Amino acid sequence: MADQIKVRLDVALSFGTCDLILVLDDLDCHDAVHQKEMFSDAIDSKAANIKRCIGFASPELEVWILADWENTFAKHLDFRKFHRGMQHRLRTEHNFSFDDPECFSEYDPDRDACREKLSESVRLAEKLAPFSKGSHTPELLKKVDSKRISVKCPLFKELHICLKTFCNEVI
């Protein structure tokens, strides 16, 4: 993605400047510090003077909807009848911690990603109302409470603070 940032920045900056560059990526069990440094270096090579917020969903974007379960799965029409069982299966069968959701899985060097995919674990946790990453994720993300996610997800909190700080500076 760092290479893509360089290419896309060249194109974007040919139309003028911007106030902020936002980079958001799934961490996929990679090291957050290393990834942030790599993306920041890519931005510096093209636009060193532009502010940036580099944030990660760890391990995947679905972690945010799981971290705010009561506003997402518990209330969604497709899952609310089954959500307690689904939550139990995520804990017991997929080793998911609702208290520390960003620590799901571990890095697998052969795959260059997490050993287990969080979105796949969510899908497998409920067979009566299967989870669709393509349709459920964007729908459920609209329901999340950023303050709740910030309590459980330190990497999300870092991104949230960066964006709030930038917005307060602009106002």
Side-chain angles (χ1 to χ4, degrees):
M1 187 160 157
D3 291 333
Q4 291 177 12
I5 288 171
K6 291 177 188 178
V7 171
R8 292 184 187 259
L9 271 177
D10 271 341
V11 172
L13 294 174
S14 71
F15 293 101
T17 61
C18 63
D19 297 324
L20 176 78
I21 297 170
L22 172 63
V23 178
L24 178 59
D25 195 20
D26 285 350
L27 202 50
D28 292 321
C29 295
H30 287 89
D31 178 66
V33 173
H34 176 263
Q35 294 295 101
K36 188 172 190 173
E37 187 176 289
M38 182 175 61
F39 293 159
S40 192
D41 288 348
I43 294 168
D44 284 342
S45 73
K46 302 292 180 180
N49 297 332
I50 299 176
K51 291 182 182 184
R52 80 270 327 247
C53 286
I54 300 171
F56 300 104
S58 177
E60 298 174 57
L61 193 60
E62 287 72 24
V63 76
W64 298 343
I65 59 178
L66 292 169
D68 191 10
W69 188 270
E70 294 307 315
N71 282 324
T72 58
F73 288 97
K75 291 183 179 177
H76 193 280
L77 287 174
D78 290 349
F79 303 105
R80 67 180 173 196
K81 289 181 183 177
F82 316 107
H83 83 97
R84 290 290 173 221
M86 185 179 182
Q87 198 174 38
H88 174 74
R89 283 186 290 284
L90 281 166
R91 270 193 198 99
T92 59
E93 296 171 20
H94 300 278
N95 201 30
F96 184 80
S97 169
F98 286 90
D99 296 324
D100 193 9
E102 289 184 330
C103 290
F104 179 79
S105 196
E106 59 190 20
Y107 181 73
D108 180 352
D110 293 333
R111 297 179 66 206
D112 192 31
C114 296
R115 189 168 313 284
E116 299 88 18
K117 293 267 307 159
L118 180 58
S119 54
E120 182 65 8
S121 293
V122 174
R123 190 184 68 74
L124 293 171
E126 187 50 68
K127 296 195 177 18
L128 296 174
F131 173 77
S132 167
K133 184 176 178 100
S135 62
H136 287 120
T137 297
E139 189 179 337
L140 292 170
L141 279 172
K142 294 176 187 175
K143 309 289 185 191
V144 299
D145 178 341
S146 59
K147 291 176 185 159
R148 281 184 171 190
I149 300 170
S150 290
V151 169
K152 295 181 180 182
C153 300
L155 290 171
F156 175 86
K157 182 178 182 177
E158 185 179 322
L159 173 63
H160 189 243
I161 289 169
C162 182
L163 289 171
K164 281 179 69 172
T165 301
F166 174 76
C167 289
N168 288 336
E169 290 172 1
V170 173
I171 294 175

